[in-house]
Amino acid sequence: MAPGAGALKTYGLTHIALGVSDVERAFAFYEAVFDMVAVYRTPEFVQAQTPGARDVIVFERAKKSVGKSGGVGHFGFRLQQPEDIGTAVKKVRAAGGTIVEQGEFVAGEPYLFARDRDGYLFEIWYELPTTADPA
């Protein structure tokens, strides 16, 4: 269905909440890799954003759900430049993460899958512009 006058306008999927063992340690990983900034902080959670974007990750103190994704296989961060994939690898490793897989989906679209320090699987990739991208 094409967007019409009654279409719900959003910024798209913009946040995820992760159950973590230590909210400050979890935030520190994403701060080191993506330069995230804490915008709200309590002893039970840290809400962070990537500068210049509208994404939000909430790190919530949890016990049973740490590192378990349920039905969600992974979450991802789309690079603005394909050549930044090498920097991403270095930053993930320096922050204590583990690279699980790295390659190209198709020529010119590099990717990596990695695990953070709580075990969550995430992706960093570059995708060539599509017709659905904003102008």
Side-chain angles (χ1 to χ4, degrees):
M1 181 164 109
L8 181 65
K9 292 181 172 52
T10 74
Y11 286 110
L13 179 63
T14 60
H15 82 271
I16 186 168
L18 301 176
V20 298
S21 56
D22 180 323
V23 297
E24 293 298 333
R25 183 185 82 143
F27 168 68
F29 177 86
Y30 289 88
E31 178 184 35
V33 175
F34 298 104
D35 298 320
M36 287 200 163
V37 175
V39 293
Y40 298 107
R41 200 181 227 126
T42 75
E44 296 302 310
F45 76 89
V46 173
Q47 180 175 319
Q49 286 183 249
T50 306
R54 295 186 189 276
D55 63 341
V56 172
I57 294 185
V58 181
F59 305 103
E60 299 174 336
R61 187 176 315 281
K63 292 183 180 164
K64 294 182 180 181
S65 64
V66 173
K68 296 179 181 168
S69 297
V72 177
H74 69 276
F75 54 95
F77 297 86
R78 187 175 176 181
L79 292 170
Q80 293 183 14
Q81 302 294 326
E83 59 271 13
D84 288 342
I85 199 74
T87 300
V89 169
K90 290 176 189 169
K91 292 186 102 165
V92 167
R93 287 184 175 144
T98 305
I99 304 299
V100 175
E101 182 181 334
Q102 183 179 353
E104 276 192 325
F105 290 121
V106 297
E109 292 190 359
Y111 72 90
L112 69 84
F113 285 94
R115 292 204 179 271
D116 69 14
R117 298 190 324 177
D118 280 300
Y120 287 105
L121 183 65
F122 65 96
E123 178 183 4
I124 301 174
W125 91 104
Y126 175 79
E127 184 172 72
L128 295 168
T130 71
T131 58
D133 288 341

